[in-house]
Amino acid sequence: MRITPSTARTRESSVPWADSAVIAVRGLRKVYEVPEREGGVRAAAGSLFRRRTREVVAVSGIDFAIQPGEVVGFLGPNGAGKTTTLKMLSGLLYPTSGEASVLGFTPWRRDRAYLGRMTLIMGQRNQLTWDIPVIDSYELNRAIFRIPWPEYRRRRDELIDLLEIGELVRKPVRNLSLGERMKCEIAGSLLHQPTVLFLDEPTIGLDVGMQRRIRAFIADYNERYDATILLTSHYMADVEALCRRVIVIHHGSLLYDGDLPGLVRRFSPHKTITVEFEEGFSQAPGERLAALIAPAGEVVEQSAIGATLRVPKAETARVTGRLLAELPIADLTVEDPPIEEVIERVFSSGSSEAPGQDQVAAEITREAERR
Amino acid sequence: MATLPVAEQPVAEFERLSLSALLEFYGAKFRTELALQFAYRGALAIWLLSLVSQPLISLVVWTTVAETNGGSAGGFTAGEYAAYFVILMVVNQLTFSWHMWEFEWRVRTGFFSPVLLRPLHPVHNDIIENLTFKALTLVALLPIAVTLGFAFDARFAPSLADVVAFGPALVLAMALRFLVEWTVALAAFWMTRTMAVNQVFGVLSFFLSGLIAPLALFPAPVQVAAAILPFRWSVAFPVELAQGQLSGVEILLGLLAQVIWIVLAVVLLRLVWRHGVRRYSAVGA
């Protein structure tokens, strides 16, 4: 583990269960108590005397461990408990129960030594002071994190260089665009060179070019400093570019923890077959096509020159063989569905009764039970 | 650039919060806060106006009462009233804080999160914000107070001991009022709307701190309450001292009361903070 030896000894011994992990979480749970009442004056008056509260389980007992230098994607639909987990790990929130150890510290004790070694960057929240030039906020961070002046100048200039924000740092934050602000925010959050980074939607609302640059920067930071990064994003491009490993949570529970291809294998029981017919084959194959891929396959899209089909994984070989034998096919490709689609199916399965999702839902239940 | 393995990089010793580190933060925050306050010049002027107007109204009312009463009322002459309220204007400006009114917003919107993530207790952020605002407004307020003192013929006769004791009494009053009000502000962790709590505290403070009138004018039970609670020690005491109303023993006892209350307030603040911050739900942020 990469923290100063003096603290490493005392901290690590207190959490033997964390082993060599930088971030370790055990049975972490957060329940919010939310006041609840009907709308209207009557209900409002009633709540004066009897306040009703409802418990909302945001995170319901999750476990995982992240090793030094890993970049892990933390995925889940809105309200899955991602941000709540990040807030607990960064020390903003007390959990209802469970344990966590980050760099050997219990985050919510908010030990100064811990806060000085990690950072939490939120795409929709600003820590830079709105009305003063960015560089002034940086200097304040220098004092807060007690970075020696020469070290500070070196890091600041390097970050300004890498993020190409030389033009921006003399302007007040309020005069910056969303993307510019995000870049300045990232630089400000890394001045103290944290070894653990929690990134919550770091590319939200940014254009594609900016997203790509921030992605490259994060990858570079990880490589340079062997930093451990836990990142949430709704953009699968971020996750595909940065994370070898993903952790998926849904309704506060862990659904999957492993590599990206594994996620596709586990949660997408289908393959997509795209066929292109030979020229001159003008008759619409409609019913014939449907008959060929029956019973489990389905035609997603078709035209006079080709079709896109979705078939169960186990049927792929059989269906492909039949298509090639029965129809004048010029080209045929078999693919996994795009990662976005898989994720979408995983997310929607827990909450809706949409037909065709049963299989995924069953898979998720099995997965949950196994844990 | 050099890519040192992280283990070999210099890491600040966060465990020990040294005074020099704190002063460095105060210095840096003072500079940014100064820039910020200048960005809000208009707001600053309006604040200043409210800081002047409230004691000024009391001043006019009480000197008028004394004069129509044949020169004195409740044992104070018009000149003594003038002195009381002119000094009060300065002491109130130096001791007041606004965090009670800001905390609810901070907690409810999650704007507290960035401050919580710093390796530094959030109270330091507010201490220096408070001091910067005061340093700035004092520059404008002092000439106003002096002018009013002459205009209303303020009469006060502090002894040498009073003058010497005024400095510490004022600093202790500033610390005490800040600590107490910051602790009250933490109610925001338990309640969504703290307006009522603030209002009750504000009214108590208005009467028991000597802001509306010198405490000597109040019935004995009120005076006892003001002396047992921190109120007298956070505003009225330094004013009375500067006026030359207090004996040597009273001054020493007053300073002692201030110190005792500050110790209590620090203990209370830490206790309330520890429990309150657990309830922080970092909404939105």
Side-chain angles (χ1 to χ4, degrees):
Chain A
M1 183 133 58
R2 285 156 184 81
I3 54 179
T4 46
S6 65
T7 55
R9 243 178 293 119
T10 56
R11 306 294 173 182
E12 270 183 307
S13 59
S14 61
V15 276
W17 57 274
D19 211 12
S20 64
V22 170
I23 302 172
V25 167
R26 203 158 69 163
L28 195 63
R29 185 177 158 82
K30 178 73 188 180
V31 180
Y32 291 108
E33 222 170 71
V34 188
E36 191 183 46
R37 64 169 158 89
E38 311 278 307
V41 177
R42 225 186 137 134
S47 73
L48 272 179
F49 304 102
R50 240 192 30 228
R51 251 175 96 99
R52 265 185 305 161
T53 56
R54 183 170 54 103
E55 291 199 334
V56 175
V57 180
V59 177
S60 65
I62 56 170
D63 303 80
F64 60 81
I66 297 174
Q67 301 302 319
E70 268 194 285
V71 185
V72 177
F74 198 33
L75 308 179
N78 293 330
K82 290 169 300 182
T83 305
T84 299
T85 305
L86 289 192
K87 280 176 188 165
M88 287 192 278
L89 290 179
S90 60
L92 273 181
L93 269 186
Y94 270 73
T96 308
S97 61
E99 294 169 275
S101 160
V102 186
L103 290 167
F105 296 94
T106 301
W108 43 88
R109 287 204 188 122
R110 293 219 321 279
D111 198 301
R112 281 196 285 272
Y114 174 57
L115 296 176
R117 287 176 177 84
M118 68 98 201
T119 197
L120 168 68
I121 301 177
M122 310 220 226
Q124 284 162 312
R125 185 61 93 215
N126 238 277
Q127 57 130 347
L128 301 170
T129 308
W130 195 247
D131 288 297
I132 56 173
V134 176
I135 197 116
D136 289 0
S137 282
Y138 289 175
E139 253 157 61
L140 189 61
N141 276 4
R142 185 203 67 77
I144 290 168
F145 290 96
R146 284 184 253 163
I147 310 163
W149 271 108
E151 189 63 23
Y152 163 73
R153 277 191 212 100
R154 191 185 62 73
R155 289 183 199 169
R156 180 198 62 194
D157 295 344
E158 181 193 307
L159 286 166
I160 286 177
D161 207 44
L162 283 172
L163 286 161
E164 298 164 33
I165 50 175
E167 302 275 291
L168 310 176
V169 293
R170 310 242 160 237
K171 291 188 201 168
V173 178
R174 60 155 188 258
N175 292 356
L176 302 178
S177 74
L178 182 66
E180 293 172 337
R181 216 154 67 210
M182 195 61 222
K183 287 202 286 181
C184 293
E185 186 77 26
I186 290 177
S189 305
L190 297 178
L191 283 169
H192 61 290
Q193 227 162 69
T195 33
V196 173
L197 276 62
F198 299 110
L199 308 177
D200 196 10
E201 304 281 350
T203 56
I204 199 161
L206 307 184
D207 66 53
V208 180
M210 191 76 84
Q211 283 182 23
R212 202 167 25 231
R213 239 172 303 159
I214 291 196
R215 234 174 268 148
F217 175 79
I218 294 170
D220 185 56
Y221 187 90
N222 161 255
E223 203 162 298
R224 266 176 208 235
Y225 303 111
D226 205 13
T228 310
I229 301 174
L230 184 57
L231 148 138
T232 77
S233 180
H234 283 301
Y235 302 113
M236 286 315 297
D238 285 350
V239 178
E240 286 184 286
L242 289 169
C243 312
R244 228 165 285 148
R245 175 179 165 198
V246 293
I247 294 175
V248 182
I249 65 168
H250 194 14
H251 294 316
S253 307
L254 212 82
L255 280 188
Y256 176 82
D257 181 349
D259 62 5
L260 261 179
L263 181 74
V264 177
R265 274 200 304 279
R266 179 162 303 165
F267 290 108
S268 183
H270 296 100
K271 290 255 181 193
T272 303
I273 302 179
T274 314
V275 290
E276 205 177 294
F277 304 125
E278 273 170 13
E279 234 172 297
F281 179 73
S282 55
Q283 67 181 110
E287 276 168 28
R288 246 178 103 194
L289 206 54
L292 281 173
I293 60 173
E298 101 187 73
V299 181
V300 182
E301 205 186 331
Q302 67 164 312
S303 67
I305 53 156
T308 307
L309 315 164
R310 184 157 64 210
V311 294
K313 232 183 259 180
E315 301 277 293
T316 319
R318 201 177 55 82
V319 169
T320 313
R322 270 214 253 168
L323 288 170
L324 290 170
E326 305 276 328
L327 294 169
I329 285 177
D331 191 24
L332 181 145
T333 53
V334 180
E335 289 167 316
D336 276 322
I339 186 81
E340 273 94 347
E341 204 184 302
V342 177
I343 294 283
E344 204 187 306
R345 289 165 65 83
V346 173
F347 292 172
S348 64
S349 59
S351 49
S352 73
E353 301 92 55
Q357 304 287 352
D358 306 0
Q359 227 172 328
V360 181
E363 178 74 36
I364 289 165
T365 317
R366 270 201 302 283
E367 182 68 18
E369 278 164 0
R370 201 171 59 79
R371 284 174 188 279
Chain B
M1 57 145 278
T3 52
L4 284 173
V6 180
E8 288 159 40
Q9 282 164 11
V11 176
E13 267 311 314
F14 290 100
E15 273 87 343
R16 282 177 301 115
L17 183 62
S18 68
L19 187 65
S20 71
L22 204 53
L23 288 178
E24 195 173 354
F25 167 69
Y26 280 14
K29 177 77 184 165
F30 180 75
R31 284 190 294 276
T32 53
E33 195 60 23
L34 213 57
L36 202 60
Q37 295 289 355
F38 279 125
Y40 294 130
R41 284 180 301 271
L44 199 66
I46 291 166
W47 266 110
L48 193 66
L49 201 67
S50 81
L51 281 170
V52 170
S53 58
Q54 196 254 312
L56 184 61
I57 292 165
S58 300
L59 190 159
V60 172
V61 169
W62 286 102
T63 49
T64 313
V65 168
E67 269 158 17
T68 52
N69 214 17
S72 83
F76 286 92
T77 65
E80 281 167 345
Y81 276 119
Y84 182 86
F85 285 109
V86 166
I87 301 167
L88 181 70
M89 189 181 286
V90 178
V91 171
N92 183 45
Q93 188 269 343
L94 285 173
T95 55
F96 100 106
S97 72
W98 60 87
H99 299 99
M100 229 197 291
W101 304 96
E102 210 179 83
F103 243 87
E104 178 191 311
W105 168 80
R106 284 181 176 182
V107 171
R108 200 154 42 96
T109 57
F111 270 85
F112 207 34
S113 299
V115 187
L116 270 175
L117 288 175
R118 296 171 174 176
L120 198 67
H121 196 292
V123 76
H124 295 298
N125 182 68
D126 293 352
I127 289 174
I128 188 65
E129 250 180 53
N130 201 293
L131 289 177
T132 313
F133 179 80
K134 282 161 181 183
L136 264 178
T137 42
L138 190 65
V139 174
L141 190 90
L142 263 185
I144 297 176
V146 171
T147 311
L148 286 174
F150 280 111
F152 284 85
D153 197 17
R155 292 291 159 92
F156 58 115
S159 67
L160 184 64
D162 293 336
V163 174
V164 172
F166 181 71
L170 183 63
V171 172
L172 291 173
M174 284 169 74
L176 179 56
R177 192 168 170 191
F178 179 87
L179 290 167
V180 169
E181 293 188 358
W182 209 79
T183 309
V184 173
L186 298 181
F189 283 128
W190 283 270
M191 295 174 222
T192 342
R193 291 270 186 263
T194 56
M195 197 73 100
V197 175
N198 296 346
Q199 211 58 271
V200 169
F201 184 87
V203 168
L204 275 178
S205 178
F206 196 53
F207 284 94
L208 298 180
S209 307
L211 284 165
I212 191 167
L215 286 172
L217 298 185
F218 285 95
V222 176
Q223 292 191 35
V224 171
I228 292 174
L229 296 170
F231 296 108
R232 183 180 177 200
W233 313 115
S234 48
V235 184
F237 174 63
V239 182
E240 294 163 5
L241 199 154
Q243 263 197 304
Q245 281 183 36
L246 305 176
S247 72
V249 176
E250 281 173 323
I251 293 172
L252 287 177
L253 283 177
L255 290 171
L256 186 66
Q258 285 186 312
V259 172
I260 291 172
W261 257 113
I262 286 174
V263 173
L264 278 176
V266 170
V267 172
L268 206 64
L269 184 150
R270 292 177 74 105
L271 197 74
V272 176
W273 170 259
R274 220 179 22 246
H275 285 89
V277 80
R278 287 167 182 252
R279 302 182 55 94
Y280 183 61
S281 55
V283 272

